[in-house]
Amino acid sequence: MARLHLFDLDGTLLHGTSAPLEISRQLGLEAETMVLEQSISAGMIGPPEYATQVCDLWTHLTDEHVTAAFEGAPWLSRIRDVWAEIRRRGEYCAVVSLSPSFFVERLTGWGAHATYGSRFPMLPFAEPVDPAGVLSAAAKVLIADRLCVEFGVSRDDCVAYGDSLSDKDLFAAVPVSVAVNSDRHLAGLATHSYVGRDLWDAYELVCQED
């Protein structure tokens, strides 16, 4: 049976940072966004509040800023190699992230079969964020189930890769998981744990089970 590999973005594919932080760096607003990152990590605000507040910061955001953030971000190495290998094996890979979909969707160009992120207004922003379009930890599980139907697999065929609290529900829902440079929230939950900057090495932990 083919497997579905589900990848988180912030802190997982991106090393030590998040898409919003990289976007805000292009606008000179990294410090302000870091305060929001700390607030959501501490549970002081939820994903809808975070998305609303970060959107308010990005008044002058353009597609050119997003492109620069994407191209200059500290990605793990060999992401495209891993996804090419997954495809070669007849398996599937998807990215599911709470970050803006306009950033996450760019990873289809790297070989992801599907990408999901929080829905933000079209750039440049002319309207506020709709909280209903902002993803959560629980939403990751719902999206995983939707992808299982789309690709003809089950939860038992899923592998999750993540690093933090937003991945906790998904780690609990699937049989195999890889904690990638993870924080305390995933302690004791993951099947495998990886610390480093090469996605291939994290992926090989799963392949060793074959």
Side-chain angles (χ1 to χ4, degrees), residues 42-102:
M44 297 170 62
I45 60 174
E49 293 81 10
Y50 176 93
T52 298
Q53 292 181 48
V54 80
C55 186
D56 289 343
L57 287 176
W58 293 343
T59 306
H60 302 295
L61 184 64
T62 66
D63 190 65
E64 288 73 20
H65 290 125
V66 179
T67 297
F70 186 90
E71 293 178 351
W75 297 97
L76 292 193
S77 62
R78 295 201 283 179
I79 293 174
R80 279 171 277 198
D81 292 341
V82 169
W83 292 351
E85 175 63 11
I86 288 171
R87 283 177 171 269
R88 188 194 68 77
R89 292 168 62 113
E91 300 184 345
Y92 305 97
C93 53
V95 182
V96 186
S97 171
L98 276 58
S99 278
S101 59
F102 59 71

Short mmCIF file of all heavy atoms in Angstrom, two decimals, residues 42-102:
data_model
loop_
_atom_site.label_atom_id
_atom_site.label_comp_id
_atom_site.label_asym_id
_atom_site.label_seq_id
_atom_site.Cartn_x
_atom_site.Cartn_y
_atom_site.Cartn_z
N ALA A 42 2.97 30.26 23.40
CA ALA A 42 2.62 30.19 24.82
C ALA A 42 1.14 29.96 25.05
O ALA A 42 0.70 29.85 26.20
CB ALA A 42 3.06 31.48 25.51
N GLY A 43 0.36 29.90 23.97
CA GLY A 43 -1.07 29.68 24.11
C GLY A 43 -1.84 30.93 24.51
O GLY A 43 -3.01 30.85 24.88
N MET A 44 -1.21 32.09 24.40
CA MET A 44 -1.87 33.34 24.79
C MET A 44 -2.86 33.81 23.72
O MET A 44 -3.83 34.52 24.02
CB MET A 44 -0.83 34.42 25.05
CG MET A 44 0.10 34.11 26.22
SD MET A 44 1.50 35.27 26.33
CE MET A 44 0.62 36.81 26.62
N ILE A 45 -2.59 33.45 22.48
CA ILE A 45 -3.53 33.71 21.39
C ILE A 45 -3.64 32.44 20.56
O ILE A 45 -2.76 31.58 20.59
CB ILE A 45 -3.08 34.89 20.50
CG1 ILE A 45 -1.71 34.61 19.86
CG2 ILE A 45 -3.06 36.19 21.28
CD1 ILE A 45 -1.27 35.66 18.84
N GLY A 46 -4.73 32.33 19.81
CA GLY A 46 -4.92 31.19 18.94
C GLY A 46 -4.60 31.53 17.50
O GLY A 46 -4.29 32.68 17.16
N PRO A 47 -4.67 30.55 16.59
CA PRO A 47 -4.36 30.80 15.18
C PRO A 47 -5.17 31.92 14.53
O PRO A 47 -4.60 32.72 13.79
CB PRO A 47 -4.64 29.44 14.52
CG PRO A 47 -4.36 28.44 15.60
CD PRO A 47 -4.87 29.11 16.86
N PRO A 48 -6.49 32.05 14.80
CA PRO A 48 -7.22 33.16 14.17
C PRO A 48 -6.72 34.53 14.61
O PRO A 48 -6.58 35.45 13.78
CB PRO A 48 -8.68 32.93 14.61
CG PRO A 48 -8.75 31.47 14.92
CD PRO A 48 -7.42 31.14 15.51
N GLU A 49 -6.44 34.67 15.91
CA GLU A 49 -5.92 35.95 16.41
C GLU A 49 -4.53 36.24 15.84
O GLU A 49 -4.24 37.38 15.46
CB GLU A 49 -5.86 35.93 17.94
CG GLU A 49 -7.21 35.88 18.64
CD GLU A 49 -7.79 34.46 18.70
OE1 GLU A 49 -7.06 33.49 18.37
OE2 GLU A 49 -8.97 34.34 19.08
N TYR A 50 -3.71 35.21 15.76
CA TYR A 50 -2.38 35.38 15.18
C TYR A 50 -2.49 35.85 13.74
O TYR A 50 -1.83 36.82 13.32
CB TYR A 50 -1.61 34.07 15.25
CG TYR A 50 -0.25 34.11 14.59
CD1 TYR A 50 0.88 34.42 15.33
CD2 TYR A 50 -0.11 33.86 13.24
CE1 TYR A 50 2.14 34.47 14.73
CE2 TYR A 50 1.13 33.91 12.62
CZ TYR A 50 2.25 34.22 13.37
OH TYR A 50 3.48 34.28 12.75
N ALA A 51 -3.32 35.17 12.95
CA ALA A 51 -3.46 35.51 11.53
C ALA A 51 -3.98 36.93 11.36
O ALA A 51 -3.50 37.68 10.50
CB ALA A 51 -4.38 34.52 10.85
N THR A 52 -4.94 37.32 12.16
CA THR A 52 -5.50 38.67 12.07
C THR A 52 -4.46 39.72 12.38
O THR A 52 -4.33 40.73 11.66
CB THR A 52 -6.69 38.82 13.04
OG1 THR A 52 -7.73 37.90 12.68
CG2 THR A 52 -7.23 40.24 13.02
N GLN A 53 -3.68 39.48 13.43
CA GLN A 53 -2.69 40.47 13.85
C GLN A 53 -1.51 40.56 12.88
O GLN A 53 -0.99 41.65 12.61
CB GLN A 53 -2.22 40.18 15.27
CG GLN A 53 -3.32 40.39 16.31
CD GLN A 53 -2.85 40.11 17.73
OE1 GLN A 53 -1.80 40.58 18.14
NE2 GLN A 53 -3.63 39.34 18.48
N VAL A 54 -1.10 39.41 12.34
CA VAL A 54 0.03 39.46 11.41
C VAL A 54 -0.42 40.08 10.09
O VAL A 54 0.35 40.80 9.43
CB VAL A 54 0.65 38.05 11.22
CG1 VAL A 54 -0.14 37.20 10.24
CG2 VAL A 54 2.10 38.16 10.73
N CYS A 55 -1.67 39.84 9.70
CA CYS A 55 -2.20 40.47 8.49
C CYS A 55 -2.24 41.99 8.64
O CYS A 55 -1.93 42.73 7.70
CB CYS A 55 -3.60 39.93 8.20
SG CYS A 55 -4.31 40.49 6.64
N ASP A 56 -2.58 42.45 9.84
CA ASP A 56 -2.59 43.90 10.11
C ASP A 56 -1.20 44.50 9.96
O ASP A 56 -1.05 45.67 9.58
CB ASP A 56 -3.13 44.18 11.51
CG ASP A 56 -4.63 43.92 11.62
OD1 ASP A 56 -5.31 43.84 10.57
OD2 ASP A 56 -5.12 43.78 12.76
N LEU A 57 -0.17 43.70 10.27
CA LEU A 57 1.21 44.19 10.12
C LEU A 57 1.61 44.32 8.65
O LEU A 57 2.43 45.16 8.30
CB LEU A 57 2.18 43.24 10.81
CG LEU A 57 2.24 43.22 12.34
CD1 LEU A 57 3.21 42.13 12.80
CD2 LEU A 57 2.68 44.58 12.89
N TRP A 58 1.02 43.47 7.81
CA TRP A 58 1.46 43.35 6.41
C TRP A 58 0.69 44.28 5.47
O TRP A 58 0.35 43.89 4.35
CB TRP A 58 1.33 41.90 5.96
CG TRP A 58 2.27 40.95 6.63
CD1 TRP A 58 3.39 41.24 7.32
CD2 TRP A 58 2.14 39.52 6.65
NE1 TRP A 58 3.99 40.08 7.78
CE2 TRP A 58 3.24 39.02 7.39
CE3 TRP A 58 1.21 38.63 6.14
CZ2 TRP A 58 3.43 37.65 7.62
CZ3 TRP A 58 1.39 37.26 6.36
CH2 TRP A 58 2.49 36.79 7.09
N THR A 59 0.43 45.48 5.89
CA THR A 59 -0.34 46.43 5.08
C THR A 59 0.27 46.65 3.70
O THR A 59 -0.46 46.79 2.71
CB THR A 59 -0.43 47.79 5.81
OG1 THR A 59 -0.95 47.58 7.12
CG2 THR A 59 -1.34 48.74 5.05
N HIS A 60 1.59 46.67 3.63
CA HIS A 60 2.27 46.98 2.37
C HIS A 60 2.86 45.74 1.70
O HIS A 60 3.73 45.86 0.81
CB HIS A 60 3.38 48.01 2.63
CG HIS A 60 2.88 49.28 3.24
ND1 HIS A 60 2.03 50.14 2.59
CD2 HIS A 60 3.09 49.82 4.48
CE1 HIS A 60 1.75 51.17 3.37
NE2 HIS A 60 2.37 51.00 4.53
N LEU A 61 2.39 44.56 2.08
CA LEU A 61 2.94 43.33 1.52
C LEU A 61 2.57 43.16 0.05
O LEU A 61 1.43 43.37 -0.35
CB LEU A 61 2.43 42.12 2.32
CG LEU A 61 2.98 40.76 1.92
CD1 LEU A 61 4.48 40.69 2.18
CD2 LEU A 61 2.26 39.65 2.70
N THR A 62 3.57 42.77 -0.75
CA THR A 62 3.36 42.50 -2.17
C THR A 62 3.82 41.08 -2.50
O THR A 62 4.52 40.43 -1.71
CB THR A 62 4.14 43.49 -3.05
OG1 THR A 62 5.56 43.25 -2.85
CG2 THR A 62 3.80 44.92 -2.69
N ASP A 63 3.47 40.63 -3.68
CA ASP A 63 3.91 39.30 -4.12
C ASP A 63 5.43 39.26 -4.25
O ASP A 63 6.04 38.20 -4.02
CB ASP A 63 3.26 38.97 -5.47
CG ASP A 63 3.47 37.52 -5.86
OD1 ASP A 63 2.97 36.62 -5.17
OD2 ASP A 63 4.17 37.28 -6.88
N GLU A 64 6.03 40.38 -4.56
CA GLU A 64 7.50 40.42 -4.67
C GLU A 64 8.15 40.17 -3.30
O GLU A 64 9.19 39.49 -3.22
CB GLU A 64 7.95 41.79 -5.21
CG GLU A 64 7.66 42.01 -6.68
CD GLU A 64 6.20 42.25 -6.99
OE1 GLU A 64 5.43 42.64 -6.06
OE2 GLU A 64 5.80 42.04 -8.15
N HIS A 65 7.56 40.69 -2.24
CA HIS A 65 8.06 40.41 -0.88
C HIS A 65 7.98 38.92 -0.58
O HIS A 65 8.90 38.32 0.00
CB HIS A 65 7.25 41.17 0.17
CG HIS A 65 7.46 42.65 0.16
ND1 HIS A 65 6.42 43.55 0.04
CD2 HIS A 65 8.59 43.41 0.25
CE1 HIS A 65 6.90 44.79 0.07
NE2 HIS A 65 8.20 44.72 0.19
N VAL A 66 6.85 38.31 -0.94
CA VAL A 66 6.65 36.88 -0.66
C VAL A 66 7.66 36.04 -1.43
O VAL A 66 8.23 35.09 -0.90
CB VAL A 66 5.20 36.45 -1.00
CG1 VAL A 66 5.01 34.97 -0.73
CG2 VAL A 66 4.20 37.27 -0.19
N THR A 67 7.89 36.40 -2.68
CA THR A 67 8.87 35.68 -3.49
C THR A 67 10.26 35.77 -2.87
O THR A 67 10.98 34.77 -2.77
CB THR A 67 8.91 36.24 -4.93
OG1 THR A 67 7.63 36.04 -5.55
CG2 THR A 67 9.98 35.55 -5.76
N ALA A 68 10.63 36.95 -2.44
CA ALA A 68 11.95 37.13 -1.81
C ALA A 68 12.05 36.34 -0.52
O ALA A 68 13.10 35.75 -0.22
CB ALA A 68 12.19 38.62 -1.54
N ALA A 69 10.96 36.31 0.26
CA ALA A 69 10.96 35.55 1.51
C ALA A 69 11.11 34.07 1.24
O ALA A 69 11.88 33.36 1.90
CB ALA A 69 9.67 35.82 2.28
N PHE A 70 10.39 33.57 0.25
CA PHE A 70 10.44 32.15 -0.10
C PHE A 70 11.83 31.75 -0.58
O PHE A 70 12.40 30.76 -0.14
CB PHE A 70 9.39 31.84 -1.17
CG PHE A 70 9.25 30.38 -1.49
CD1 PHE A 70 8.34 29.58 -0.81
CD2 PHE A 70 10.02 29.80 -2.50
CE1 PHE A 70 8.22 28.23 -1.11
CE2 PHE A 70 9.90 28.46 -2.80
CZ PHE A 70 8.99 27.67 -2.10
N GLU A 71 12.37 32.54 -1.47
CA GLU A 71 13.67 32.20 -2.07
C GLU A 71 14.82 32.36 -1.09
O GLU A 71 15.84 31.67 -1.20
CB GLU A 71 13.90 33.05 -3.32
CG GLU A 71 12.93 32.72 -4.44
CD GLU A 71 13.12 33.59 -5.67
OE1 GLU A 71 13.91 34.57 -5.59
OE2 GLU A 71 12.50 33.29 -6.71
N GLY A 72 14.68 33.24 -0.11
CA GLY A 72 15.77 33.49 0.83
C GLY A 72 15.65 32.74 2.15
O GLY A 72 16.53 32.87 3.01
N ALA A 73 14.61 31.96 2.32
CA ALA A 73 14.35 31.27 3.59
C ALA A 73 15.36 30.15 3.83
O ALA A 73 15.88 29.55 2.89
CB ALA A 73 12.94 30.71 3.61
N PRO A 74 15.63 29.82 5.10
CA PRO A 74 16.57 28.74 5.44
C PRO A 74 15.89 27.37 5.39
O PRO A 74 15.53 26.78 6.41
CB PRO A 74 17.01 29.09 6.86
CG PRO A 74 15.82 29.79 7.45
CD PRO A 74 15.19 30.55 6.33
N TRP A 75 15.71 26.85 4.20
CA TRP A 75 15.06 25.55 4.01
C TRP A 75 16.00 24.41 4.41
O TRP A 75 17.23 24.54 4.28
CB TRP A 75 14.68 25.37 2.55
CG TRP A 75 13.69 26.36 2.04
CD1 TRP A 75 13.97 27.50 1.33
CD2 TRP A 75 12.28 26.32 2.20
NE1 TRP A 75 12.81 28.17 1.04
CE2 TRP A 75 11.76 27.47 1.55
CE3 TRP A 75 11.40 25.43 2.81
CZ2 TRP A 75 10.39 27.73 1.51
CZ3 TRP A 75 10.05 25.69 2.77
CH2 TRP A 75 9.54 26.83 2.13
N LEU A 76 15.43 23.31 4.87
CA LEU A 76 16.24 22.10 5.00
C LEU A 76 16.74 21.71 3.62
O LEU A 76 16.10 21.97 2.60
CB LEU A 76 15.41 20.95 5.58
CG LEU A 76 14.92 21.03 7.03
CD1 LEU A 76 14.42 19.66 7.47
CD2 LEU A 76 16.00 21.51 7.98
N SER A 77 17.88 21.06 3.58
CA SER A 77 18.42 20.61 2.30
C SER A 77 17.70 19.34 1.83
O SER A 77 17.10 18.61 2.61
CB SER A 77 19.92 20.35 2.42
OG SER A 77 20.17 19.32 3.35
N ARG A 78 17.74 19.12 0.55
CA ARG A 78 17.25 17.93 -0.16
C ARG A 78 15.74 17.70 -0.02
O ARG A 78 15.28 16.57 -0.10
CB ARG A 78 18.04 16.69 0.27
CG ARG A 78 19.51 16.77 -0.16
CD ARG A 78 20.16 15.43 -0.22
NE ARG A 78 20.49 14.91 1.11
CZ ARG A 78 21.06 13.72 1.32
NH1 ARG A 78 21.37 12.94 0.31
NH2 ARG A 78 21.35 13.33 2.55
N ILE A 79 14.97 18.76 0.16
CA ILE A 79 13.52 18.61 0.19
C ILE A 79 13.02 18.06 -1.15
O ILE A 79 12.25 17.09 -1.20
CB ILE A 79 12.83 19.96 0.50
CG1 ILE A 79 13.16 20.41 1.92
CG2 ILE A 79 11.32 19.86 0.30
CD1 ILE A 79 12.65 21.80 2.27
N ARG A 80 13.47 18.67 -2.24
CA ARG A 80 13.00 18.22 -3.55
C ARG A 80 13.46 16.79 -3.85
O ARG A 80 12.74 16.03 -4.51
CB ARG A 80 13.49 19.20 -4.63
CG ARG A 80 12.62 20.44 -4.72
CD ARG A 80 13.20 21.52 -5.61
NE ARG A 80 14.18 22.31 -4.90
CZ ARG A 80 14.59 23.51 -5.29
NH1 ARG A 80 14.11 24.04 -6.40
NH2 ARG A 80 15.48 24.19 -4.59
N ASP A 81 14.63 16.41 -3.36
CA ASP A 81 15.10 15.04 -3.56
C ASP A 81 14.19 14.04 -2.84
O ASP A 81 13.87 12.98 -3.38
CB ASP A 81 16.53 14.88 -3.04
CG ASP A 81 17.54 15.66 -3.86
OD1 ASP A 81 17.23 16.01 -5.01
OD2 ASP A 81 18.65 15.91 -3.35
N VAL A 82 13.79 14.39 -1.63
CA VAL A 82 12.90 13.50 -0.86
C VAL A 82 11.57 13.36 -1.58
O VAL A 82 11.05 12.24 -1.74
CB VAL A 82 12.70 14.04 0.56
CG1 VAL A 82 11.58 13.28 1.27
CG2 VAL A 82 13.99 13.94 1.37
N TRP A 83 11.01 14.46 -2.02
CA TRP A 83 9.71 14.39 -2.66
C TRP A 83 9.77 13.68 -4.01
O TRP A 83 8.83 12.97 -4.39
CB TRP A 83 9.12 15.79 -2.80
CG TRP A 83 8.78 16.38 -1.45
CD1 TRP A 83 8.79 15.73 -0.25
CD2 TRP A 83 8.40 17.72 -1.17
NE1 TRP A 83 8.45 16.59 0.76
CE2 TRP A 83 8.20 17.82 0.23
CE3 TRP A 83 8.23 18.86 -1.95
CZ2 TRP A 83 7.82 19.01 0.85
CZ3 TRP A 83 7.85 20.05 -1.34
CH2 TRP A 83 7.64 20.12 0.05
N ALA A 84 10.88 13.82 -4.72
CA ALA A 84 11.06 13.08 -5.97
C ALA A 84 11.13 11.57 -5.69
O ALA A 84 10.58 10.76 -6.45
CB ALA A 84 12.32 13.55 -6.69
N GLU A 85 11.81 11.20 -4.62
CA GLU A 85 11.90 9.79 -4.26
C GLU A 85 10.54 9.24 -3.83
O GLU A 85 10.18 8.10 -4.19
CB GLU A 85 12.92 9.60 -3.13
CG GLU A 85 13.03 8.18 -2.58
CD GLU A 85 13.52 7.16 -3.59
OE1 GLU A 85 13.98 7.54 -4.69
OE2 GLU A 85 13.42 5.95 -3.30
N ILE A 86 9.79 10.03 -3.08
CA ILE A 86 8.44 9.60 -2.69
C ILE A 86 7.59 9.36 -3.92
O ILE A 86 6.88 8.35 -4.04
CB ILE A 86 7.80 10.66 -1.77
CG1 ILE A 86 8.47 10.63 -0.38
CG2 ILE A 86 6.29 10.44 -1.64
CD1 ILE A 86 8.06 11.76 0.53
N ARG A 87 7.66 10.26 -4.89
CA ARG A 87 6.92 10.08 -6.13
C ARG A 87 7.41 8.85 -6.90
O ARG A 87 6.61 8.10 -7.47
CB ARG A 87 7.06 11.33 -7.01
CG ARG A 87 6.20 12.50 -6.55
CD ARG A 87 6.44 13.73 -7.41
NE ARG A 87 5.49 14.80 -7.15
CZ ARG A 87 4.34 14.97 -7.79
NH1 ARG A 87 4.00 14.12 -8.76
NH2 ARG A 87 3.52 15.98 -7.49
N ARG A 88 8.71 8.64 -6.92
CA ARG A 88 9.27 7.49 -7.64
C ARG A 88 8.75 6.19 -7.08
O ARG A 88 8.52 5.22 -7.83
CB ARG A 88 10.80 7.52 -7.56
CG ARG A 88 11.50 6.47 -8.44
CD ARG A 88 12.96 6.32 -8.07
NE ARG A 88 13.13 5.73 -6.75
CZ ARG A 88 12.99 4.43 -6.48
NH1 ARG A 88 12.66 3.57 -7.42
NH2 ARG A 88 13.19 3.99 -5.25
N ARG A 89 8.52 6.19 -5.77
CA ARG A 89 8.02 4.98 -5.11
C ARG A 89 6.51 4.81 -5.24
O ARG A 89 5.93 3.86 -4.72
CB ARG A 89 8.38 5.03 -3.62
CG ARG A 89 9.88 4.91 -3.34
CD ARG A 89 10.21 5.26 -1.89
NE ARG A 89 9.58 4.36 -0.94
CZ ARG A 89 10.23 3.50 -0.16
NH1 ARG A 89 11.55 3.42 -0.24
NH2 ARG A 89 9.59 2.73 0.69
N GLY A 90 5.87 5.73 -5.93
CA GLY A 90 4.42 5.66 -6.09
C GLY A 90 3.66 6.08 -4.85
O GLY A 90 2.50 5.72 -4.67
N GLU A 91 4.33 6.89 -4.00
CA GLU A 91 3.71 7.39 -2.78
C GLU A 91 3.38 8.87 -2.94
O GLU A 91 3.58 9.45 -4.01
CB GLU A 91 4.63 7.12 -1.58
CG GLU A 91 4.90 5.64 -1.39
CD GLU A 91 5.73 5.31 -0.16
OE1 GLU A 91 6.36 6.23 0.40
OE2 GLU A 91 5.77 4.13 0.23
N TYR A 92 2.86 9.48 -1.88
CA TYR A 92 2.34 10.84 -1.97
C TYR A 92 2.94 11.72 -0.88
O TYR A 92 3.24 11.25 0.22
CB TYR A 92 0.81 10.83 -1.83
CG TYR A 92 0.14 9.91 -2.82
CD1 TYR A 92 -0.24 8.62 -2.45
CD2 TYR A 92 -0.08 10.31 -4.14
CE1 TYR A 92 -0.84 7.76 -3.36
CE2 TYR A 92 -0.68 9.46 -5.05
CZ TYR A 92 -1.06 8.18 -4.66
OH TYR A 92 -1.63 7.33 -5.57
N CYS A 93 3.08 13.00 -1.20
CA CYS A 93 3.59 13.95 -0.21
C CYS A 93 2.75 15.22 -0.25
O CYS A 93 2.35 15.68 -1.32
CB CYS A 93 5.07 14.27 -0.44
SG CYS A 93 5.49 14.82 -2.11
N ALA A 94 2.48 15.75 0.93
CA ALA A 94 1.67 16.96 1.05
C ALA A 94 2.23 17.83 2.16
O ALA A 94 2.85 17.34 3.11
CB ALA A 94 0.22 16.61 1.35
N VAL A 95 2.02 19.14 2.04
CA VAL A 95 2.42 20.09 3.08
C VAL A 95 1.15 20.69 3.66
O VAL A 95 0.29 21.19 2.92
CB VAL A 95 3.31 21.21 2.52
CG1 VAL A 95 3.73 22.16 3.63
CG2 VAL A 95 4.53 20.62 1.82
N VAL A 96 1.01 20.62 4.98
CA VAL A 96 -0.15 21.17 5.68
C VAL A 96 0.37 22.10 6.77
O VAL A 96 1.06 21.66 7.68
CB VAL A 96 -1.04 20.07 6.29
CG1 VAL A 96 -2.30 20.69 6.87
CG2 VAL A 96 -1.40 19.02 5.24
N SER A 97 0.05 23.38 6.65
CA SER A 97 0.64 24.39 7.53
C SER A 97 -0.38 25.43 7.93
O SER A 97 -1.32 25.73 7.19
CB SER A 97 1.81 25.08 6.79
OG SER A 97 2.28 26.20 7.51
N LEU A 98 -0.19 26.01 9.12
CA LEU A 98 -1.03 27.11 9.55
C LEU A 98 -0.63 28.43 8.89
O LEU A 98 -1.35 29.43 8.99
CB LEU A 98 -0.97 27.27 11.08
CG LEU A 98 -1.90 26.39 11.93
CD1 LEU A 98 -1.68 24.91 11.68
CD2 LEU A 98 -1.71 26.70 13.41
N SER A 99 0.52 28.45 8.21
CA SER A 99 0.99 29.66 7.55
C SER A 99 0.14 30.00 6.33
O SER A 99 -0.64 29.17 5.85
CB SER A 99 2.46 29.50 7.15
OG SER A 99 3.30 29.74 8.26
N PRO A 100 0.29 31.22 5.79
CA PRO A 100 -0.55 31.64 4.67
C PRO A 100 -0.43 30.72 3.45
O PRO A 100 0.67 30.33 3.06
CB PRO A 100 -0.02 33.04 4.33
CG PRO A 100 0.58 33.53 5.61
CD PRO A 100 1.17 32.32 6.26
N SER A 101 -1.57 30.42 2.86
CA SER A 101 -1.58 29.52 1.70
C SER A 101 -0.78 30.11 0.54
O SER A 101 -0.21 29.36 -0.26
CB SER A 101 -3.02 29.23 1.26
OG SER A 101 -3.71 30.42 0.94
N PHE A 102 -0.72 31.45 0.43
CA PHE A 102 0.02 32.04 -0.70
C PHE A 102 1.51 31.77 -0.61
O PHE A 102 2.23 31.91 -1.61
CB PHE A 102 -0.27 33.55 -0.85
CG PHE A 102 0.06 34.41 0.33
CD1 PHE A 102 1.37 34.67 0.70
CD2 PHE A 102 -0.96 35.00 1.08
CE1 PHE A 102 1.66 35.49 1.79
CE2 PHE A 102 -0.68 35.82 2.16
CZ PHE A 102 0.63 36.08 2.51
#
